């Protein structure tokens, strides 16, 4: 595959609207990818408030629901290159759109943990396909001087997807707040029941709102032209010629087709290059490192858990959702800035600038949370004494909150109780607030914590390996309260300071890694290993993201939010060093010139 074939002089009249259309539809895949990541942020507070009671979901299971999109991306990324080679770039995008559309009713109609997890997994499989195939498609179709803007368009629509998800969450946050005000004078039990129904309806409606973009993407892909390079590799020269007629001037079609055929013939006649050939190892590893550390900044978890993070920082419900919308809007605006800069300043400069700014913002957030978490009281001995018959039931009315706080916290601020507990190897975290009508009782029981043995867990135990807890041992294990921290919810001003740090974080991410990660994925990979190499690099990217999202809730419950932000800051500093000392500049170079650099 050669990139010089598409280096058409700007003065010649290339078809304008077909190129804009393919950019829009390919970028629309970014919209679905953004919705995949962002929609859970608005739905999670209501899902956590209802499903944890109705279905007895643990914080770990809720973490899996959040991370399922990323896990699905891991699974599909492994085979995305093979699928794109087998059914074509357009066919793979259509498959991604159909999977996304099918996932919506599965989630919105879910009546338990399994269908909810399945729907999120399907969304993730769709996102993994999009993350590989769309950048691959754009790299094969666009000229070198347009590749940066093509990747930026994908990222821009991704951020618009995040904004759309945040706006949906904000609308429902106002609706839930209004419902909360209307039931304030009812008895406590009736308040809890009515708010349960309102919040249950809210998260289901949020998921239903995502159906239309998936349908539009599926229909739009049907009129998208296939990659000429893929068609040439399959010997479909007439189809490749028709595809080129939609992207290059008529006078350039035959010469462009001839240039594409040269490497395709050479590849067919020679031996097939192995993915891990020595000459490909350096660019392959660099691309994998860039993608891994992009996720190690914590961006996906920050976007997915934004409302939870801001609530914990001190912002009330609607204010946290409003700040979440501001975060997603800034992400989109700064992506437009990146679109203007990426082909002028270059990828290396933007990655250095972005990773440096992210590191500072994360350190500031960690310090703010560390200061807020310093004033908490340890109630572990007190709650452990309240355990009876291996269960704990504690009614949390205003007098009980004040009794727990004692003389240490006679404040007008709401209080928050975070309890970490375990039955044998099964652990969980519960977080309750005095200003939340749903949190009128702390109830810890074995049945809600110890889950049935899984096929995977049973398999590992037969091998005498124990990466999963044993439900047989946990069935008789006593309830152990590991930690119980009580402290005032931080002031609203503290919440806005954390929101400001996250805004700075997102701004620098959008300008640097947000756009450059897709370019690194498609540009650094040599031509002959591009589809499979991109699959593995994105697999690593999604594995890192999935792991962080899955451990987020248990980690912040056990060790506080400051620990998570500090970890992300350390990873981002390593990212800065990689961008500064190892990454070459690829601005304005053909794919072959980039490959020659590493030789």
């Amino acid at each position: 595959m050669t990139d010089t074939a598409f280096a058409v002089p700007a003065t010649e009249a290339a078809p304008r609207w077909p190129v804009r259309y393919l950019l829009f539809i390919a970028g629309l895949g970014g919209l679905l990818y953004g919705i995949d990541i962002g929609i859970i942020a608005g739905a999670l507070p209501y899902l956590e408030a209802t499903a944890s009671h109705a279905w007895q979901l643990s914080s770990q299971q809720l973490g899996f629901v959040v991370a399922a999109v990323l896990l699905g991306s891991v699974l599909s990324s492994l085979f995305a290159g093979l699928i794109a080679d087998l059914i074509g770039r357009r066919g793979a995008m259509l498959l991604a759109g159909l999977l996304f559309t099918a996932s919506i009713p599965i989630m919105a109609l879910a009546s338990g943990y399994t269908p909810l997890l399945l729907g999120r997994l399907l969304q993730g499989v769709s996102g993994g396909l999009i993350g590989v195939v769309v950048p691959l498609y754009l790299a094969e179709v666009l000229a070198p001087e347009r590749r940066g803007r093509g990747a930026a368009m994908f990222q821009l629509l991704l951020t618009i997807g995040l904004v759309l998800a945040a706006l949906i969450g904000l609308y429902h946050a106002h609706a839930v707040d209004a419902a909360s005000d209307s039931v304030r004078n009812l008895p406590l039990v009736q308040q809890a029941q009515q708010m349960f129904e309102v919040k249950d309806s809210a998260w289901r409606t949020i998921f239903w709102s995502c159906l239309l973009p998936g349908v539009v993407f599926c229909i739009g892909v049907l009129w998208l032209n296939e990659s000429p390079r893929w068609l040439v590799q399959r010997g479909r020269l007439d189809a490749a010629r028709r595809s080129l007629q939609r992207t290059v001037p008529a006078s350039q079609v035959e010469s462009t087709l001839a240039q594409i055929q040269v490497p395709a013939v050479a590849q067919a006649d020679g031996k097939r290059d192995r993915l891990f050939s020595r000459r490909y190892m350096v660019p392959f590893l660099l691309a994998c490192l860039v993608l891994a550390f992009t996720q190690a900044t914590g961006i996906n978890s920050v976007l997915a858990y934004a409302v939870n993070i801001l609530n914990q920082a001190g912002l009330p419900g609607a204010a946290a959702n409003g700040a979440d919308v501001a975060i997603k809007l800034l992400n989109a605006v700064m992506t437009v800035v990146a679109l203007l800069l990426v082909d002028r300043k270059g990828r290396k400069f933007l990655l250095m600038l972005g990773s440096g700014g992210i590191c500072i913002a994360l350190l500031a957030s960690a310090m703010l949370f560390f200061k807020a978490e310093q004033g908490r009281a340890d109630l572990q001995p007190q709650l452990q004494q309240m355990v009876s018959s291996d269960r704990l039931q504690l009614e949390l009315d205003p007098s009980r909150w004040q009794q727990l706080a004692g003389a240490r916290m006679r404040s007008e601020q709401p209080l928050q109780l975070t309890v970490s507990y375990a039955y044998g190897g099964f652990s969980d975290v519960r977080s309750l607030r005095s200003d939340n009508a749903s949190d009128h009782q702390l109830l810890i029981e074995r049945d809600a914590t110890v889950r049935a043995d899984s096929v995977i867990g049973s398999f590992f135990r037969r091998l005498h390996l124990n990466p999963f807890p044993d439900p047989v041992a946990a069935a008789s294990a006593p309830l152990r309260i590991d930690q119980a921290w009580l402290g005032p919810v931080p002031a609203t001003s503290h919440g806005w300071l954390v929101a400001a740090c996250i805004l700075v974080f997102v701004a620098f991410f959008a300008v640097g890694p947000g756009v450059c990660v897709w370019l690194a994925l498609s540009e650094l990979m040599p031509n002959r290993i591009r589809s499979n190499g991109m699959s593995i690099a994105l697999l690593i990217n999604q594995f890192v993201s999935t792991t962080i999202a899955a451990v987020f809730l248990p980690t912040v419950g056990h060790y506080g939010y400051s620990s998570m932000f500090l970890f992300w800051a350390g990873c981002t500093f390593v990212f800065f060093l990689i961008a500064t000392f190892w990454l070459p500049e690829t601005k304005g170079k053909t794919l072959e010139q980039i490959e020659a650099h590493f030789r």
Side-chain angles (χ1 to χ4, degrees):
M1 296 185 292
T2 177
D3 205 280
T4 56
F6 289 89
V8 180
T11 55
E12 298 191 35
R16 179 176 298 178
W17 289 108
V19 172
R20 289 181 176 178
Y21 178 76
L22 74 87
L23 280 173
F24 172 72
I25 296 300
L28 196 58
L31 183 79
L32 299 189
Y33 199 95
I35 291 174
D36 276 349
I37 297 170
I39 198 63
I40 194 65
L44 184 61
Y46 313 124
L47 185 61
E48 190 173 13
T50 57
S52 59
H53 294 289
W55 305 337
Q56 299 296 310
L57 295 190
S58 66
S59 63
Q60 188 176 49
Q61 287 176 311
L62 286 169
F64 285 154
V65 169
V66 175
V69 157
L70 307 175
L71 177 60
S73 295
V74 168
L75 298 175
S76 62
S77 297
L78 186 60
F79 304 103
L82 179 63
I83 293 172
D85 285 342
L86 184 65
I87 65 176
R89 289 34 169 160
R90 189 182 71 162
M93 284 191 280
L94 179 60
L95 176 62
L98 291 173
L99 290 174
F100 178 89
T101 304
S103 72
I104 302 302
I106 294 176
M107 293 185 298
L109 298 174
S111 57
Y113 173 62
T114 300
L116 187 63
L117 187 67
L118 175 62
R120 292 283 291 169
L121 280 170
L122 283 180
Q123 271 194 321
V125 170
S126 167
L129 287 172
I130 289 171
V132 170
V133 177
V134 173
L136 174 63
Y137 177 78
L138 293 174
E140 291 185 348
V141 171
L142 297 178
E145 65 272 12
R146 293 173 183 161
R147 279 202 314 267
R149 293 192 178 185
M153 179 64 72
F154 176 78
Q155 178 67 14
L156 175 62
L157 283 172
L158 189 156
T159 61
I160 291 174
L162 294 172
V163 172
L164 179 62
L167 288 172
I168 293 171
L170 177 62
Y171 171 80
H172 286 281
H174 282 295
V176 170
D177 284 351
S180 179
D181 291 338
S182 67
V183 302
R184 195 172 298 277
N185 296 325
L186 296 177
L188 199 60
V189 175
Q190 291 185 20
Q191 281 189 44
Q193 178 61 34
Q194 292 201 21
M195 290 308 301
F196 177 91
E197 295 174 359
V198 169
K199 292 178 180 180
D200 184 72
S201 175
W203 68 259
R204 294 180 189 276
T205 307
I206 286 173
F207 285 137
W208 275 122
S209 305
C210 305
L211 184 62
L212 182 60
V215 174
V216 172
F217 178 73
C218 290
I219 296 174
V221 167
L222 296 177
W223 281 274
L224 200 64
N225 56 300
E226 181 57 86
S227 163
R229 293 176 175 180
W230 183 83
L231 292 170
V232 168
Q233 287 181 337
R234 295 299 181 275
R236 298 166 58 183
L237 300 184
D238 290 339
R241 184 178 290 108
R242 290 194 298 271
S243 179
L244 286 170
Q245 289 169 353
R246 300 186 63 185
T247 58
V248 300
S251 60
Q252 300 287 329
V253 170
E254 293 303 324
S255 60
T256 301
L257 184 61
Q259 292 180 58
I260 294 177
Q261 288 180 266
V262 173
V265 172
Q267 185 173 347
D269 293 341
K271 290 184 178 180
R272 184 175 180 85
D273 289 309
R274 290 181 294 111
L275 177 60
F276 297 109
S277 298
R278 185 174 180 179
R279 60 176 172 159
Y280 296 150
M281 191 55 63
V282 173
F284 173 73
L285 288 178
L286 263 179
C288 291
L289 284 173
V290 170
L291 266 75
F293 279 100
T294 294
Q295 290 305 326
T297 62
I299 182 62
N300 276 357
S301 290
V302 168
L303 295 176
Y305 292 107
V307 176
N308 285 50
I309 292 171
L310 294 173
N311 278 333
Q312 179 73 21
L315 291 185
N321 282 91
D324 183 44
V325 172
I327 290 168
K328 307 300 170 46
L329 282 172
L330 180 65
N331 195 13
V333 171
M334 296 307 293
T335 301
V336 175
V337 175
L339 187 149
L340 300 175
L341 293 177
V342 67
D343 285 325
R344 296 180 185 178
K345 296 296 185 180
R347 290 60 156 147
K348 184 182 179 76
F349 171 79
L350 292 183
L351 274 177
M352 291 169 56
L353 176 68
S355 58
I358 290 169
C359 190
I360 294 172
L362 288 172
L363 283 173
S365 299
M367 293 304 102
L368 285 169
F369 273 114
F370 181 77
K371 183 178 179 181
E373 290 163 358
Q374 284 295 95
R376 298 183 299 179
D378 184 9
L379 300 185
Q380 187 273 337
Q382 184 176 345
L383 292 190
Q384 186 68 63
Q385 291 180 356
M386 297 181 182
V387 172
S388 176
S389 301
D390 290 327
R391 68 193 297 269
L392 175 62
Q393 183 173 358
L394 187 64
E395 301 300 328
L396 294 173
D397 53 25
S399 60
R400 173 68 76 172
W401 280 106
Q402 192 56 58
Q403 178 186 348
L404 292 173
R408 295 164 293 187
M409 299 179 195
R410 294 189 180 278
S411 169
E412 297 300 323
Q413 286 181 261
L415 298 174
Q416 178 161 287
L417 175 65
T418 303
V419 182
S420 303
Y421 56 92
Y423 288 94
F426 288 88
S427 60
D428 203 353
V429 178
R430 287 288 308 278
S431 184
L432 306 99
R433 288 174 56 146
S434 61
D435 59 347
N436 189 347
S438 301
D439 294 339
H440 61 91
Q441 183 186 72
L442 171 62
L443 179 61
I444 300 176
E445 295 180 302
R446 191 187 308 274
D447 291 343
T449 307
V450 178
R451 292 170 293 281
D453 200 6
S454 64
V455 175
I456 297 176
S458 177
F459 170 76
F460 275 99
R461 268 186 289 280
R462 290 194 190 100
L463 299 178
H464 302 288
L465 300 173
N466 295 294
F468 300 97
D470 186 357
V472 176
S476 57
L479 170 59
R480 184 180 72 251
I481 305 296
D482 292 326
Q483 290 180 338
W485 295 105
L486 178 70
V489 175
T492 303
S493 59
H494 179 274
W496 286 117
L497 284 175
V498 173
C501 291
I502 294 177
L503 286 168
V504 173
F505 166 34
V506 168
F508 277 102
F509 182 88
V511 168
V515 168
C516 294
V517 64
W518 303 111
L519 290 169
L521 182 63
S522 59
E523 289 183 340
L524 292 177
M525 292 293 179
N527 287 338
R528 293 193 178 185
I529 66 166
R530 182 167 295 115
S531 59
N532 290 329
M534 288 173 66
S535 290
I536 293 179
L538 194 65
L539 173 67
I540 294 171
N541 172 278
Q542 298 296 352
F543 176 79
V544 173
S545 183
T546 301
T547 302
I548 291 174
V551 304
F552 180 85
L553 287 176
T555 299
V556 298
H558 283 286
Y559 306 108
Y561 281 74
S562 58
S563 62
M564 203 78 232
F565 278 89
L566 196 60
F567 170 75
W568 291 336
C571 292
T572 306
F573 179 69
V574 177
F575 192 8
F576 174 80
L577 296 178
I578 293 172
T580 302
F581 296 109
W582 292 339
L583 196 70
E585 183 54 75
T586 59
K587 178 186 68 172
K589 296 180 181 179
T590 66
L591 301 181
E592 289 72 26
Q593 289 172 333
I594 298 170
E595 184 175 345
H597 167 83
F598 290 105
R599 289 177 187 163

